[in-house]
Amino acid sequence: MKRLWVAISLLAISIFFATFENIMVLKNYNRFTPILDKAEEYCSENEFLKAYETIESAQLVWEKKSKVLNSLIDHTHVDNINESFFQLLESAQKQEQVEFLSICNKTKRQLLSMKESELPSFDNIM
């Protein structure tokens, strides 16, 4: 009977961590995608200072969130997004609109890739 309770406890712990991971990934995707959209909008209007400030604040929040995400998911996704934020800051400082918009789209694709690869689906299970 003890083995059954141990198995049920381990299953409950696994479900808890899987649910927590799903919530964190979705929350971060839903948080940072609109921020990147807003930064793109600022860049399109040639307001590079506002775009820089938007990305800088997002990058500071991302650094805090990435520590939790690193413990839950593959580090390469988090590291790639972190690198993209630094590239966005550089291109906003240089006021390179085409590069900024390109990196912004790349970062959104990286967030989407993180979301799709980490959320449970039949393809990910198989």
Side-chain angles (χ1 to χ4, degrees), residues 32 35-36 54-60 62-63 78-91 103 107 110-111:
F32 289 103
I35 292 172
L36 291 169
T54 302
I55 294 299
E56 186 177 40
S57 65
Q59 196 256 343
L60 291 173
W62 176 258
E63 282 182 7
V78 177
D79 293 341
N80 290 339
I81 294 169
N82 198 29
E83 179 65 29
S84 292
F85 274 121
F86 284 115
Q87 290 173 351
L88 283 168
L89 289 172
E90 281 182 11
S91 61
I103 296 170
T107 308
Q110 289 171 335
L111 284 166

Side-chain angles (χ1 to χ4, degrees), residues 9 26 30 39-40 44 50 61 81-82 93 112-113 117 126:
S9 299
L26 280 173
N30 292 333
E40 277 183 334
S44 296
K50 287 184 180 179
V61 174
I81 294 169
N82 198 29
Q93 273 184 330
L112 180 63
S113 173
S117 68
M126 297 311 280

